[in-house]
Amino acid sequence: MSATTEAPPRPAAKEPPPPPAEPRRLPRWAWALIVIGVWILVWSVTKGQDTLAIAAREHTEVQDKLTDFRDSVLASRDTNPVIQFTYQLGEWFKSLVDWFQRMISIPDFPRPVPQIGWVGVTAVATWIGLAVAGWRIAILVAASFVTFGLFGYWSDSMDLLIVTFVAVAFAVLIGMPLAVLLGTTSRIGNSIINTILDIFQTMPTFVYLLPIVLFFGIGASAGVVCTLIYAMPPLIRIAGHGIRSVSGTTIEATDSAGQTRSQRLRKVQLPMARKTIVVGVNQTIMAALSMATIAAYVDSPGLGQPVLNSLFKNDVGGAFVPGMLIVVMAVMLDRSTTAASEASEKAARGGVDMRQRRIVLALTAIPVVVALWMSRYYTWAAEFPETELGPKLADKVNSFTDWFVDTFSTYTEWFKNVITDYLLNPMQDLLAESPWYVSALAILALALVLGGVRALIPTVICLWGLKFFGLWHDAMITLNMTLVGTVLVMILALVFGVLMARRKAVDLGLRPLLDAGQTIPPFVYLIPMLALFGPTRFTAIIAGVVYAAPVAIKLVADGVSGVSATTVEASRSTGATAWQEITKVQLPMAKGSLVLAANQGLLYMLSMAVIGGMVGAGALGYDVVLGFSRSEEWGKGAAAGISIVLLGIMVDRIARAAADKDEVTHNPAKRPWWRSAMG
């Protein structure tokens, strides 16, 4: 028997060496704290030096040159073809608005009343609401129009509607071709158009008024033009996005049938993007209503006039009533356009009996014709009868305001002092009382830390512009108020946004209020804040917080609720408390939404800077208002307006770059190829 030999044991396979540990890097927030710490140390020994502060009535050479430019434009009105064209265009807009006014809102002399009285106008508007959106919207429209008259502001309400719809009509005529261009052009062309739209959308509303008044005069012409320019970007951007988002497969399938580019646009892209286009029109109407209200400052007709007059007199009740009617109008227009979009979608799917609908519209048109006839021949149907509802409500609001202020003034004063002493003043000292070059270097370092080179380049350009236009000190004060307001906005957004995301009942209760809050023009927010805090910078900040909070709260709520339910359940299975679940899982995973909320909060706060200048905010807002009030200050006002735009672009670019950097950090697949190659 032969001996068996065992095979020698195989050597154990060597385990691959562990990958080298990546060196730990300080997070961006830590670098930001280091920059701020160094800034505070330098400020402590250099404060008050080279702050570039100038007196209220002092001008720089650049500001004087801007005033000279204005004077030269005004002097060349009779010879300069560009000025002649813009003024002629303004006169045409003014004539168009005047024609509509004589039709529905003011006497058309020698006729002592408008051509169509309030009964006819209300009947026509109600029938249009029925035709485009259904019975519910028809009732809403009828109730809204009657409310305008009951509270004594029929003519002002109609004037505001006229300016809004004239501006929206031309915004659609001009904006839709640009939206088509945005939706069909190359990537480079898309970037150029988007950059221009970004500039317009970061520009606070009041800043539009200075150049518009210079080239178009004051009154209805300025109101229509500035409203048109302000309201057009949302339509271009949203409609362009809808056209670009049409399925490529659908386009390829229809292209195979040999259609031309024009046919593709008319028969495929525009019909399939219809819902998005209607959303763009809705946003344009809301923007136009907001701007048409503010345009009262340049003598544009509408409900903004009584609001502005009452604010100047510190008459809270007198401002509240037309302000409330502006909100009614905003809700009516918002709900009507939204319902019209839904109704058109339903009709396109064949969910509406068109024969029955035509019969209903034909039958309901009969009383509309009767109402039109009555409004032309009966005084009671032509001119809304006077009522005491408006004055009585104004008196009650004033009485309530006096009671509220007397009762809670101790608490509101305490709150104002706490925010002012512990947040507003220290940050203003750091930003505005540091030497300008120290603040500039610190802001540049923060831009680099938070957003990288992509944020650094526009920050350099914007900071140079702030110094060039000679209002560095005022710009830092305005930036401080904006940042403090944004901090307060984000506190509200985190508290209520998380509650909405985690409690369905809270979401159902708060979301309608937030939706309504987003339809209120910013002017209206000043009314209660002015009563509570008086004409101070704090009033402007709190009004801005109330204006910016709805959009920030909704963004945070949507971001937190969008966190995967599986991830949340996994954290609960490990025994995490509710606080740990929020702070360790939901908020970190919703970081992109938080950054976007902060970005929008900054821009909304900055857009209130000039409006706040009317109630004691000072700084750039006051400079713009001063430029409106005194011709010799026009250059300083223009420089302040440009400086606000530069601040808006700077904070917007830093926030966007920070958000994009977060996305790349958490999703390496989205890194540029050159960053991946460099590791």
Side-chain angles (χ1 to χ4, degrees), residues 115-117 119-121 123-124 367-377:
Q115 291 293 332
I116 304 175
V119 170
V121 173
V124 171
V368 172
V369 173
V370 173
L372 284 170
W373 178 82
M374 293 173 63
S375 70
R376 284 189 57 81
Y377 295 103

Side-chain angles (χ1 to χ4, degrees), residues 118 122-123 125-126 135-151 154 325 328-329 332 384:
W118 73 272
T122 303
T126 303
W135 284 105
R136 291 183 180 179
I137 295 302
I139 294 171
L140 173 64
V141 171
S144 300
F145 273 71
V146 171
T147 303
F148 300 148
L150 284 176
F151 285 94
W154 175 265
L325 295 178
V328 170
M329 187 178 295
M332 177 191 72
F384 208 103

Side-chain angles (χ1 to χ4, degrees), residues 304-486:
Q305 291 281 357
V307 173
L308 190 62
N309 294 335
S310 297
L311 283 176
F312 286 153
K313 295 183 293 185
N314 201 15
D315 179 8
V316 177
F320 174 83
V321 177
M324 175 196 69
L325 295 178
I326 292 171
V327 176
V328 170
M329 187 178 295
V331 172
M332 177 191 72
L333 294 175
D334 180 55
R335 297 295 182 270
S336 298
T337 51
T338 302
S341 170
E342 294 170 354
S344 65
E345 285 291 316
K346 186 177 180 181
R349 293 194 302 267
V352 177
D353 186 340
M354 297 304 297
R355 183 174 178 273
Q356 182 182 3
R357 184 181 180 188
R358 293 190 189 100
I359 293 172
V360 170
L361 292 178
L363 291 175
T364 52
I366 296 172
V368 172
V369 173
V370 173
L372 284 170
W373 178 82
M374 293 173 63
S375 70
R376 284 189 57 81
Y377 295 103
Y378 291 90
T379 304
W380 65 266
E383 189 174 18
F384 208 103
E386 292 186 8
T387 68
E388 293 298 318
L389 280 178
K392 285 182 179 179
L393 180 59
D395 291 340
K396 288 185 180 296
V397 170
N398 281 329
S399 298
F400 173 79
T401 301
D402 293 339
W403 169 82
F404 191 90
V405 171
D406 291 340
T407 305
F408 297 100
S409 59
T410 303
Y411 304 103
T412 57
E413 190 68 19
W414 172 84
F415 178 65
K416 180 176 77 172
N417 291 337
V418 168
I419 299 297
T420 300
D421 294 340
Y422 294 100
L423 191 60
L424 191 57
N425 287 343
M427 286 182 62
Q428 179 167 313
D429 282 345
L430 183 63
L431 273 166
E433 299 306 318
S434 295
W436 72 269
Y437 43 83
V438 172
S439 294
L441 287 173
I443 293 171
L444 287 171
L446 289 172
L448 182 61
V449 166
L450 296 174
V453 177
R454 182 180 168 188
L456 182 66
I457 295 173
T459 303
V460 169
I461 297 170
C462 292
L463 290 176
W464 174 86
L466 294 176
K467 182 167 187 305
F468 176 78
F469 287 104
L471 292 171
W472 179 273
H473 189 261
D474 285 354
M476 293 300 104
I477 294 174
T478 298
L479 179 60
N480 172 62
M481 290 190 291
T482 303
L483 292 174
V484 169
T486 305

